[in-house]
Amino acid sequence: MTINIAKQYIELTKMEVTKYLKLVFEKNFNKKYCDIYLKRYIDIRYYNFYDYDTSRTLRKKILDNLKDLSENLSIDDIDNRDIIEKMCIFFYYVLYFDNVIRSKDIEKTIKKIAKLRKRVLEKEDEFFEKELYKIVKEYRIKKEKLLEKFLSSEFFIKLTNYPNKLNVYRVNLKYKIKFPLVYSEFAINKAFNVGLINEDKFLIEYYLIVVHVIKDILRQNFTKQYILEFADKLLDKPNKLKNLLNIIDNTGIKDKVSIKIKYETFIEHKDKIYDLMKDGFKITIILDNSFKVDYKQIETLKVFKYVIVNKDLKNYEEILKFKKNIKNIIEI
């Protein structure tokens, strides 16, 4: 079974934050409210939810949401107001551990947390700073190793920006393998791009793009979109398809990647592709000469993430007449 890198990365973040708050509050730690704050934080930090005001920075958006959440929780549970409010105060410092607020000196940040803990909780522990630094360092290393594990010295992804779509990139897997001279370039390309090897190479491509998207998210870039290659035959191989899609099966990743499928393939496997879309996977459709241009078919195109139209299509000019109706069109 394939590995869901994004899910593992987020689980590491949850574990780190939980350990941090347990260390801060000791026996007064409240798992219920820790989990509530964590869910809201993950929803914003990794999934870019609650983005109704795009003028706010990610930092401001997280802090505002945590404050609002704290106030609402305090109203609903007056008996636990004290722990709810205090947990929120210490949760703010998670932003320093998770690349939201840049910290050149994490030890200085940890000293601030220790001082705050002494003032707010009236707790002082000579080992607190050392233990917290150990937690932060431990999870930083675990996260870095997780991402590095899926990078390759032999393969890399080439990103090509579509000329009429800002921040939309075509993804292609490339290799840096040195083959013996006896093999022609044609033979190498055929082996790499045809049949079973072609299907299996997408495992590498999808792993590499997930690592790339996670790094985008860590850099607080939620705007870039990536269009992935796909083998049509996988639609007839449910186990292989499930295995491949598991790699990108995460809300934050699915929001930023789409799978490229030909229109004739969509017509042949319409139900399967609609099921994928119901599961949250985005589809980019490549129009071909089998596409019949009429209002009903044009309306159907709105369900896809993007619609790629080649200028060599026989009905290219006719399709462009509906360009105002298809906001997601990409011309190549």
Side-chain angles (χ1 to χ4, degrees):
M1 188 64 181
T2 51
I3 296 170
N4 191 306
I5 311 170
K7 182 179 180 182
Q8 288 197 7
Y9 192 96
I10 290 170
E11 283 303 314
L12 285 173
T13 300
K14 290 179 179 178
M15 290 165 63
E16 178 184 13
V17 173
T18 301
K19 273 192 174 184
Y20 154 60
L21 289 176
K22 279 184 175 179
L23 183 65
V24 169
F25 288 94
E26 295 179 346
K27 65 180 181 179
N28 293 319
F29 170 77
N30 187 301
K31 185 178 185 305
K32 174 185 173 181
Y33 290 111
C34 173
D35 290 346
I36 291 173
Y37 282 124
L38 252 177
K39 184 180 184 309
R40 179 65 61 90
Y41 175 77
I42 296 297
D43 283 348
I44 302 169
R45 175 66 183 96
Y46 290 94
Y47 303 150
N48 200 32
F49 291 171
Y50 304 94
D51 196 29
Y52 45 83
D53 182 359
T54 54
S55 65
R56 290 186 300 174
T57 61
L58 181 63
R59 170 186 171 277
K60 186 77 165 59
K61 185 164 60 171
I62 292 172
L63 294 178
D64 288 349
N65 267 274
L66 290 176
K67 183 181 177 183
D68 291 344
L69 179 60
S70 174
E71 290 172 356
N72 291 331
L73 291 173
S74 298
I75 292 170
D76 293 337
D77 188 356
I78 297 174
D79 293 340
N80 286 303
R81 175 177 289 177
D82 185 61
I83 190 67
I84 290 169
E85 292 177 348
K86 287 177 179 176
M87 191 167 280
C88 182
I89 291 169
F90 283 94
F91 211 100
Y92 291 157
Y93 285 90
V94 171
L95 279 67
Y96 288 91
F97 307 149
D98 201 26
N99 295 292
V100 179
I101 300 175
R102 305 297 179 192
S103 177
K104 293 182 180 179
D105 189 349
I106 197 66
E107 291 184 55
K108 189 180 289 185
T109 301
I110 288 171
K111 286 185 181 297
K112 288 181 181 178
I113 295 171
K115 288 180 181 178
L116 181 67
R117 184 174 184 259
K118 181 180 178 181
R119 178 168 58 83
V120 175
L121 302 180
E122 298 180 350
K123 286 185 177 182
E124 189 171 18
D125 181 348
E126 60 179 309
F127 300 109
F128 174 79
E129 291 181 35
K130 185 178 178 180
E131 285 301 308
L132 181 51
Y133 181 75
K134 183 180 175 183
I135 290 170
V136 173
K137 188 176 180 181
E138 173 192 351
Y139 280 93
R140 187 167 288 180
I141 292 170
K142 283 183 178 181
K143 289 176 181 179
E144 287 173 358
K145 283 186 176 180
L146 174 65
L147 298 184
E148 287 171 1
K149 186 164 64 174
F150 293 93
L151 296 177
S152 169
S153 59
E154 297 176 337
F155 298 96
F156 65 97
I157 48 174
K158 181 182 178 182
L159 304 176
T160 309
N161 191 210
Y162 286 97
N164 64 332
K165 280 289 179 184
L166 186 66
N167 286 325
V168 181
Y169 298 86
R170 179 174 59 204
V171 180
N172 292 110
L173 183 68
K174 300 293 181 180
Y175 56 85
K176 294 182 281 189
I177 306 170
K178 291 185 177 179
F179 291 92
L181 292 175
V182 68
Y183 295 107
S184 68
E185 186 176 348
F186 172 78
I188 294 168
N189 286 330
K190 186 175 180 181
F192 190 65
N193 294 305
V194 178
L196 186 63
I197 293 177
N198 184 44
E199 293 175 13
D200 292 340
K201 77 173 188 177
F202 295 134
L203 295 173
I204 303 170
E205 178 181 317
Y206 284 33
Y207 276 133
L208 290 177
I209 197 61
V210 167
V211 171
H212 189 88
V213 172
I214 290 172
K215 288 182 177 180
D216 278 350
I217 292 170
L218 294 178
R219 288 189 289 262
Q220 304 178 35
N221 187 327
F222 295 92
T223 59
K224 291 183 178 180
Q225 295 287 320
Y226 303 96
I227 299 178
L228 306 180
E229 296 179 289
F230 186 74
D232 299 342
K233 290 181 180 179
L234 286 169
L235 292 166
D236 293 318
K237 302 175 181 179
N239 290 335
K240 271 204 161 191
L241 178 62
K242 183 179 180 181
N243 208 33
L244 178 66
L245 295 182
N246 177 61
I247 299 171
I248 59 171
D249 193 5
N250 170 271
T251 302
I253 304 299
K254 287 192 286 191
D255 184 56
K256 292 162 191 63
V257 303
S258 60
I259 300 165
K260 189 164 52 178
I261 293 177
K262 291 178 287 188
Y263 185 77
E264 61 183 0
T265 303
F266 165 68
I267 294 300
E268 184 181 352
H269 299 279
K270 191 177 290 187
D271 290 341
K272 293 177 184 176
I273 292 170
Y274 277 139
D275 284 342
L276 293 179
M277 294 167 74
K278 287 176 185 175
D279 289 335
F281 294 101
K282 307 290 192 302
I283 305 295
T284 287
I285 203 79
I286 309 169
L287 293 189
D288 50 47
N289 288 326
S290 67
F291 180 73
K292 295 179 181 179
V293 185
D294 59 44
Y295 183 77
K296 183 178 178 181
Q297 296 305 317
I298 291 291
E299 285 296 300
T300 302
L301 299 179
K302 292 180 179 180
V303 303
F304 301 112
K305 182 71 176 179
Y306 297 106
V307 178
I308 296 177
V309 182
N310 194 304
K311 294 176 182 178
D312 294 331
L313 282 179
K314 65 182 181 182
N315 49 10
Y316 171 72
E317 296 295 336
E318 199 176 351
I319 292 169
L320 284 193
K321 292 178 184 177
F322 292 90
K323 193 172 180 179
K324 290 182 179 179
N325 300 67
I326 317 172
K327 302 295 184 184
N328 52 349
I329 195 168
I330 295 175
E331 299 174 57
I332 60 172

